[in-house]
Amino acid sequence: MTAQDTQTPRLGQQAGVYVYGILPGDVEVEPGAAGVGDPPGEVRVVRHGDLAALVSDVDLSGPLGRPEDLLAHEELLDSSAADMPVLPLRFGAVVTSDDAVTRELLGPHHDEFAAALRQLEGHAEFVVKGRYVEDAILREVLTEDQRAARLAEQIRGANPDATRELRMQLGEIVNNAIAARREEDTRALGDAVAGRVTTSAVRPPTHELDAVYTAFLVETGAEKDLERAVERLARDWDGRIQLRLIGPMAAYDFTGTAAPATEG
């Protein structure tokens, strides 16, 4: 079982306990910390042995899944990950009660969760995301592919309806070329940060112009080295790829849970 597997509420149930993630048992929550829901539920800790779960009450009669809820889920986990290891649960994990948190999560899966937390100790996740500058990548493709260049010349200034088939052919060439460059640039990113990260996970693209989208598990103290490596790569790719470094955050990509979908 991974940290995202929880019991779903029974049909007709109006209240539940929303579970954000699993942490070491000595975690403390600031009074008044707000979670998901409208109004937001107050976050508290359910402890069992040397494990703890961050939870809050949630009213299931209203909608759950607003952008504000996803943001609250992420912010709570990411802020916690800055101080200690966190096993994030999938967004929307709800059980019936505090007892169910212990009975269904912390108790039966104690050893699994404890081992995962030990592996994450002293680490945080960072994500590097880059998107091609559209004009630049198109020029690159047309310069290097003679067939694409000929199609673009035939299409230029022509009636869109009359050149529909040509446009489809050009689109396919461009998409394939971008996919190939994405693989090359993802490898280049990996080479650029080698020795500065513990492990990595390539995320699938979320946009046709995505150039790189990779999560890295980074040891505490190595963040600055990673930042400098990404900054150097951003300078090398200036005008071609717009590069961002996101983090630190909870280790969504390294604990078997689904990563949040706020990065477009």
Side-chain angles (χ1 to χ4, degrees), residues 3-251:
Q4 77 266 30
D5 297 320
T6 58
Q7 175 180 318
T8 55
R10 294 186 299 272
L11 184 65
Q13 179 181 329
Q14 296 299 303
V17 175
Y18 187 99
V19 190
Y20 299 87
I22 313 298
L23 299 89
D26 59 355
V27 63
E28 298 292 341
V29 177
E30 293 186 6
V36 303
D38 184 17
E42 183 171 351
V43 178
R44 64 182 184 277
V45 179
V46 175
R47 304 182 197 275
H48 177 72
D50 57 354
L51 296 179
L54 294 181
V55 306
S56 66
D57 293 328
V58 62
D59 180 4
L60 299 177
S61 63
L64 182 64
R66 304 171 305 145
E68 296 89 344
D69 293 329
L70 180 56
L71 184 61
H73 180 98
E74 294 172 6
E75 287 184 341
L76 179 64
L77 292 173
D78 292 348
S79 62
S80 301
D83 300 316
M84 63 183 63
V86 175
L87 298 179
L89 268 70
R90 191 183 300 274
F91 176 76
V94 179
V95 295
T96 55
S97 65
D98 284 8
D99 286 342
V101 175
T102 299
R103 188 174 62 251
E104 299 169 15
L105 280 175
L106 300 182
H109 304 285
H110 174 278
D111 292 348
E112 177 186 344
F113 291 160
L117 287 171
R118 285 194 296 271
Q119 290 180 341
L120 293 176
E121 181 71 41
H123 293 79
E125 177 171 327
F126 288 78
V127 172
V128 178
K129 185 165 190 180
R131 184 162 291 178
Y132 291 115
V133 177
E134 185 170 10
D135 289 345
I137 194 65
L138 287 177
R139 284 196 303 270
E140 190 174 309
V141 173
L142 296 180
T143 299
E144 297 180 9
D145 191 304
Q146 293 183 358
R147 181 174 174 230
R150 286 195 301 269
L151 287 170
E153 184 61 32
Q154 289 176 266
I155 291 169
R156 187 175 295 113
N159 183 292
D161 292 334
T163 56
R164 181 174 180 273
E165 183 64 29
L166 297 180
R167 292 177 187 276
M168 292 177 62
Q169 293 177 28
L170 178 59
E172 183 177 1
I173 292 173
V174 170
N175 288 338
N176 290 339
I178 289 177
R181 282 161 173 75
R182 183 182 296 127
E183 290 187 8
E184 295 173 1
D185 292 327
T186 297
R187 286 194 294 269
L189 169 61
D191 292 342
V193 303
R196 300 170 176 84
V197 303
T198 301
T199 188
S200 63
V202 177
R203 290 182 171 185
T206 60
H207 188 278
E208 61 185 3
L209 289 176
D210 275 357
V212 294
Y213 195 17
T214 305
F216 298 100
L217 193 63
V218 182
E219 190 173 355
T220 302
E223 297 97 331
K224 292 298 183 182
D225 288 342
L226 176 64
E227 290 176 8
R228 285 191 287 267
V230 173
E231 287 172 357
R232 285 194 295 270
L233 195 58
R235 288 194 295 269
D236 293 342
W237 283 345
D238 185 37
R240 179 176 181 264
I241 297 175
Q242 296 173 333
L243 208 58
R244 290 187 295 156
L245 176 63
I246 308 160
M249 61 179 65

